[in-house]
Amino acid sequence: MNIVVIGSMNMDYVLTTDNLPKKGETIHAIDFKTSIGGKGANQAFAARKLGADVVMIGSVGNDDNGRKIINRMNEVGIDTSRIEIVNTETGNAMITVDNNGNNTIIVYGGANKCVNKEIIDKNEDAIIKADFVIFQLEIPIETVEYGIELAKKHNTKVILNPAPAKILSDNILRNVDIITPNETELVIISGENDLKLGARKLLESGVKEVIVTIGEKGSYYLSNEKEILSESIKVKAIDTTAAGDSFNGALAVAICEGKCIEEALEFSNVVGALTTTKSGAEKSLPYREEVNKILEIKYNK
């Protein structure tokens, strides 16, 4: 299975606190860590750790953070030959996490803003060969739209994780195979507060399958043929950072392996849940052995 991820790469600076700060409040952190992140990188790491061949397309700065990201991707076997090194700072994110696993995130795009149409054209051969291309919205929206169009031209399936949420053009929606918002993103994209109405509206806009991640409850799936509420497993959440990203990486892997949608959702829910049991982004993403162990326990009961 060959998965191409086109998107963001960041260095995350993670502060752990007892409570998230209120407006104007200064609080003390009880822990500090750095971790590789960015929605694109997270999804690439997730898919690779679950066994896929992964190509990463995006941009990092000509700095220590950029080199650290590329080196770590090389260590786990992600193809980094398509990553552009540009003369600006690597993207970064400032993340605050409280004791309940809730977080706030401020992202500085940096080199991610340099992912343009020319980079997409340069890597058309990789898109042609892919089983799935995964996009997010931490690179310029015009690049995302152009990349989705190119993928569909070659009949390559597209997963769009619409985060951070933006209003999407009709052209994007009708060319996406699977869209994966969380509940908040669904409201922004669809204009509907009701989950089912929002998902239905996206289908009517041309999306073929809608999957809404609903946190500890699992995920909701809607197509013109099926409606599924897939429950997650119970875990003690420490940090929800990258949970949605790991879900997306897992979804692409599961579908590439030929799993039916019910099995794919269950698999992805487990991966997302396990991600919340560890702190950080890339460091929290589970390997296949961890996921299989949970699934074996579940089915042996």
Side-chain angles (χ1 to χ4, degrees):
M1 58 189 144
N2 187 359
I3 296 170
V4 170
V5 180
I6 301 177
S8 57
M9 291 169 278
N10 294 331
M11 186 61 69
D12 292 347
Y13 299 89
V14 185
L15 293 160
T16 304
T17 61
D18 288 322
N19 300 289
L20 298 179
K22 300 178 180 64
K23 181 179 178 180
E25 181 183 18
T26 299
I27 62 175
H28 291 282
I30 55 179
D31 191 28
F32 171 75
K33 290 183 175 70
T34 60
S35 176
I36 295 170
K39 300 191 74 62
N42 293 341
Q43 292 167 13
F45 278 115
R48 178 59 189 154
K49 287 183 176 184
L50 295 170
D53 293 323
V54 178
V55 175
M56 184 71 212
I57 297 174
S59 297
V60 297
N62 186 16
D63 53 25
D64 286 342
N65 283 340
R67 287 183 281 276
K68 286 177 183 177
I69 291 170
I70 290 175
N71 288 341
R72 178 56 183 156
M73 286 187 169
N74 287 334
E75 285 176 4
V76 300
I78 295 171
D79 182 347
T80 63
S81 64
R82 315 287 182 137
I83 295 175
E84 298 280 330
I85 298 174
V86 297
N87 290 319
T88 188
E89 297 84 0
T90 296
N92 60 69
M94 306 298 172
I95 303 172
T96 305
V97 183
D98 71 14
N99 283 330
N100 294 315
N102 300 308
N103 63 37
T104 60
I105 305 175
I106 300 175
V107 177
Y108 170 69
N112 296 309
K113 298 176 183 178
C114 299
V115 183
N116 54 29
K117 296 177 181 179
E118 287 72 25
I119 290 176
I120 301 296
D121 285 336
K122 187 186 297 187
N123 293 288
E124 184 173 2
D125 62 316
I127 293 170
I128 292 172
K129 296 173 186 175
D131 295 304
F132 261 108
V133 180
I134 308 177
F135 292 89
Q136 331 75 38
L137 301 180
E138 289 183 334
I139 60 174
I141 190 70
E142 58 270 20
T143 304
V144 173
E145 183 164 1
Y146 185 76
I148 289 172
E149 286 180 337
L150 185 62
K152 294 315 296 178
K153 172 185 172 184
H154 296 296
N155 296 314
T156 301
K157 289 189 176 295
V158 172
I159 293 176
L160 173 61
N161 178 219
K166 295 180 176 72
I167 301 299
L168 301 175
S169 70
D170 292 340
N171 190 43
I172 288 178
L173 292 171
R174 65 172 168 260
N175 284 312
V176 168
D177 293 287
I178 304 173
I179 194 167
T180 59
N182 63 25
E183 292 175 279
T184 301
E185 292 155 359
L186 178 65
V187 173
I188 294 170
I189 295 165
S190 70
E192 298 284 351
N193 289 312
D194 181 83
L195 184 150
K196 293 187 178 182
L197 289 177
R200 175 60 61 185
K201 189 169 182 179
L202 293 183
L203 280 186
E204 291 170 353
S205 299
V207 177
K208 300 175 182 60
E209 298 173 272
V210 180
I211 300 174
V212 185
T213 54
I214 48 179
E216 62 186 16
K217 297 176 185 176
S219 52
Y220 172 77
Y221 171 90
L222 186 67
S223 69
N224 287 321
E225 291 77 36
K226 285 187 177 183
E227 181 182 29
I228 303 166
L229 179 61
S230 180
E231 294 183 359
S232 187
I233 58 171
K234 303 290 185 185
V235 297
K236 171 59 178 174
I238 295 174
D239 181 2
T240 57
T241 304
D245 298 327
S246 66
F247 180 97
N248 280 272
L251 181 69
V253 169
I255 294 174
C256 284
E257 290 180 344
K259 287 181 170 61
C260 67
I261 190 60
E262 290 85 355
E263 292 174 328
L265 292 171
E266 181 179 46
F267 179 79
S268 304
N269 285 340
V270 169
V271 172
L274 286 176
T275 301
T276 71
T277 64
K278 301 174 186 177
S279 61
E282 184 267 321
K283 296 174 184 176
S284 71
L285 301 169
Y287 281 92
R288 188 60 176 258
E289 295 77 13
E290 300 172 71
V291 181
N292 288 344
K293 187 175 182 180
I294 295 295
L295 290 171
E296 286 170 7
I297 293 171
K298 182 174 182 180
Y299 284 117
N300 285 336
K301 285 187 177 180

